[in-house]
Amino acid sequence: AGCYFTHGTWNHLATAAKTVHCEEKRSKYAVYLQWLPYYWRLCQCFKMFISTRNRAHLVNAGKYSCLLAATALNGAVYWVPQLRSALLACKTVATFYAFMWDILMDWGWIRGRQRERLFQITWVYAAAAVFNCFARFYPVFDLFGFGLHGHIKDELNDTLKALLELFRRANWSVFRLESENCNNLEKYRSIDFVPVIEVPTD
C-alpha cells in the first residue's frame, strides 16, 4: 500500500514503469508477511506441547516448520533463481504434510472406522477430501507449470487461487467442527457425547 501511494501508482496518469515497480516490490517483499501466521502457530504448537506433553503438537509444529521453509524459499528465489528446484521440492513436501494433517488429525480420520460421523453418506467425505487436496496443491501445480499460469492473466490466476483457498478453508471448517463435535479429539469437553435436550412444546 505504501508503494501504491508514494510512487503515484494510484494516479490514473501513472506510468507503466511505476506500476511494474510496485508489482516487483510486492512480489519480493510481501511474501515474507506470510511468515507471521505460520510463526505464531509454530509458537502455539510448542506452547501446547510444553503444557500437555502431547507429541501430536510436535508433529503439528513440523507442518508449520515446513511451511515456513517453503515461504522463505519462495521469497529467496527472486534473488537466487537457482533455488527454484529446492522451492518446488519444499513446497510439495509442505503441502502434502498439511493435507495429510487436515485429513488424519483435523478431520479425525486417524481413528479409521472408529471415527463417529455426522454425515452417513461416505461420498461427502471423499468429495471434501478431493477438493481439499486440489485446492491445496493448485499453487504447487502452478509452480510446476501445470496450472493456468501463462494461459490467463496473472491477476485472474491470483484471484482463482485466492477463491480456492477461501472455499478450501470453509470446507475444512465444516469437517473440523463436525469431527470435534462427534469425536471430542481435543478433549474440550469432559464427555464425548452431547445429549440432545428435548424442549417441551406445551
Side-chain angles (χ1 to χ4, degrees):
C3 180
Y4 181 78
F5 287 105
T6 57
H7 282 78
T9 307
W10 60 273
N11 191 334
H12 70 282
L13 296 177
T15 63
K18 291 182 179 180
T19 304
V20 171
H21 173 80
C22 284
E23 285 296 319
E24 290 179 349
K25 289 288 186 182
R26 181 184 68 85
S27 299
K28 290 181 178 179
Y29 299 106
V31 66
Y32 289 106
L33 293 177
Q34 298 175 18
W35 265 49
L36 293 178
Y38 297 144
Y39 173 73
W40 289 329
R41 287 293 290 122
L42 180 66
C43 293
Q44 287 177 341
C45 290
F46 286 129
K47 180 181 179 181
M48 290 299 296
F49 172 71
I50 293 173
S51 301
T52 65
R53 293 299 172 181
N54 185 348
R55 293 183 180 180
H57 294 297
L58 290 181
V59 181
N60 200 16
K63 178 186 73 174
Y64 289 107
S65 297
C66 289
L67 291 170
L68 279 170
T71 304
L73 287 171
N74 196 25
V77 77
Y78 286 103
W79 285 276
V80 187
Q82 293 81 2
L83 291 175
R84 180 172 174 79
S85 297
L87 169 63
L88 293 175
C90 189
K91 187 73 172 178
T92 301
V93 171
T95 303
F96 181 75
Y97 198 150
F99 169 71
M100 294 304 296
W101 183 270
D102 287 347
I103 303 301
L104 295 178
M105 302 301 293
D106 289 340
W107 292 2
W109 286 109
I110 195 171
R111 287 189 172 187
R113 294 184 178 181
Q114 294 180 353
R115 181 193 187 277
E116 298 293 334
R117 298 190 302 175
L118 182 63
F119 305 103
Q120 298 304 315
I121 305 175
T122 304
W123 67 262
V124 172
Y125 297 95
V130 169
F131 175 74
N132 185 284
C133 181
F134 174 77
R136 273 203 177 275
F137 274 94
Y138 180 79
V140 181
F141 297 153
D142 214 36
L143 285 175
F144 276 102
F146 297 121
L148 294 177
H149 180 70
H151 301 283
I152 60 176
K153 291 184 177 180
D154 289 342
E155 294 83 358
L156 184 58
N157 195 37
D158 290 341
T159 301
L160 175 61
K161 287 190 285 188
L163 287 174
L164 278 174
E165 179 63 11
L166 177 65
F167 287 118
R168 187 196 68 78
R169 289 180 179 272
N171 174 70
W172 175 90
S173 298
V174 170
F175 292 94
R176 177 69 182 90
L177 291 173
E178 181 257 359
S179 173
E180 190 59 40
N181 180 68
C182 295
N183 299 278
N184 194 24
L185 291 175
E186 297 289 343
K187 303 301 179 183
Y188 292 126
R189 304 187 305 270
S190 58
I191 58 175
D192 288 338
F193 176 70
V194 179
V196 177
I197 301 176
E198 295 184 2
V199 179
T201 56
D202 295 338

